[in-house]
C-alpha cells in the first residue's frame, strides 16, 4: 500500500478516535453535572429549554460562586445553629406557625453567615443550587408552606413537612465543607 494512503487511513482513524474520545468525555461531564446538580438540573433544563443552555447556566452559577467568599462555619458556630434549631423544633408543639417562621429566619441567617450574598430570592436560589442542588427542592417546598402559614392556610401536617424540609437544608448547609461521612443524621 502506498505511503500516502496509509497516512490518510491513519489520519482518518485518529480523527475518529479523537471524536469518539471527545464524545465520551462530554457524556461523562454531562453525567457528572446532572448528578451533582440533582433535581436542579431538570429544573434548569425546563427553564432554559435545552440541556446545553442549562449546562451553560449551571456552569455560570458555579463560576459566580467561585468568586464569592463562601466558607463553612467553624464547629462552634455549627453547634450554636444546631442548638437554635432544637429550640425551633420544640416550639413547633405549641406554636407551629411561629416555628415555621423561625425556621425560615434561621435558615436565612445561616445562608448569610456562610457568606452567600443577599441579592434577592432568585439569586439566592441560583447560588445555593451550586453546592446544595440536591436539597434545594426541600427549601422550595418549605418556602411554599411558609407562605401558606403566614396567611394561616397551611395545615399542621404541611407545616410539619416544612419543618422537615428546613431541617434537611439546614443539615446540608451546616455540613458544607465537612469531610464525607461526618454529616449529622
Amino acid at each position: 500500500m502506498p505511503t500516502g494512503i496509509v497516512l490518510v487511513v491513519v489520519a482518518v482513524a485518529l480523527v475518529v478516535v479523537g471524536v469518539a474520545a471527545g464524545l465520551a468525555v462530554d457524556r461523562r461531564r454531562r453525567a457528572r453535572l446532572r448528578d451533582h446538580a440533582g433535581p436542579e438540573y431538570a429544573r434548569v433544563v425546563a427553564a432554559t429549554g435545552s440541556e446545553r443552555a442549562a449546562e451553560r447556566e449551571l456552569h455560570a452559577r458555579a463560576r459566580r460562586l467561585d468568586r464569592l467568599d463562601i466558607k463553612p462555619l467553624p464547629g462552634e458556630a455549627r453547634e450554636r445553629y444546631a442548638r437554635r434549631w432544637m429550640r425551633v423544633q420544640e416550639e413547633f408543639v405549641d406554636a407551629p406557625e411561629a416555628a415555621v417562621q423561625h425556621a425560615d429566619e434561621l435558615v436565612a441567617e445561616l445562608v448569610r453567615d456562610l457568606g452567600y450574598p443577599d441579592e434577592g430570592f432568585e439569586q439566592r436560589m441560583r447560588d445555593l443550587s451550586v453546592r446544595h442542588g440536591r436539597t434545594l427542592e426541600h427549601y422550595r417546598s418549605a418556602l411554599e408552606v411558609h407562605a401558606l402559614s403566614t396567611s394561616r392556610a397551611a395545615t399542621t401536617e404541611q407545616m410539619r413537612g416544612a419543618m422537615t424540609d428546613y431541617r434537611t437544608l439546614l443539615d446540608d448547609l451546616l455540613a458544607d465543607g465537612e469531610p464525607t461521612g461526618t454529616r449529622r443524621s
Side-chain angles (χ1 to χ4, degrees), residues 53-178:
E55 290 165 10
R56 282 192 302 274
E57 167 67 18
L58 291 170
H59 286 297
R61 291 177 185 187
R63 283 190 304 275
R64 172 187 155 78
L65 201 68
D66 286 343
R67 293 188 306 267
L68 299 175
D69 191 24
I70 310 297
K71 293 185 178 158
L73 295 176
E76 182 179 297
R78 284 196 312 264
E79 287 305 314
R80 266 195 315 274
Y81 272 102
R83 284 191 303 273
R84 288 176 62 195
W85 175 257
M86 293 304 293
R87 287 193 300 272
V88 170
Q89 280 184 296
E90 290 167 0
E91 177 183 32
F92 185 83
V93 174
D94 295 322
E97 289 93 359
V100 169
Q101 174 66 34
H102 293 144
D104 185 66
E105 291 167 358
L106 184 64
V107 167
E109 183 181 332
L110 175 57
V111 167
R112 282 189 306 275
D113 284 354
L114 289 168
Y116 289 91
D118 193 6
E119 297 176 0
F121 173 76
E122 288 302 322
Q123 186 60 55
R124 180 184 329 132
M125 297 304 267
R126 285 191 293 274
D127 289 343
L128 287 171
S129 74
V130 175
R131 292 186 182 171
H132 306 283
R134 294 204 163 279
T135 55
L136 208 53
E137 285 303 307
H138 292 278
Y139 191 29
R140 284 189 176 96
S141 295
L143 290 169
E144 287 175 17
V145 174
H146 176 254
L148 290 172
S149 74
T150 58
S151 62
R152 299 200 176 271
T155 66
T156 303
E157 196 55 40
Q158 287 173 313
M159 289 185 283
R160 188 181 326 281
M163 293 295 288
T164 301
D165 288 334
Y166 277 123
R167 172 65 185 257
T168 299
L169 178 63
L170 186 107
D171 283 347
D172 196 36
L173 291 167
L174 289 176
D176 196 20
E178 287 185 10

Side-chain angles (χ1 to χ4, degrees), residues 19-34 52 55:
V19 167
L23 290 172
V25 166
D26 189 50
R27 265 193 307 275
R28 280 194 305 271
R29 182 188 54 76
R30 273 194 168 150
R32 244 187 341 264
L33 180 61
R34 209 174 6 257
R52 291 237 187 258
E55 290 165 10

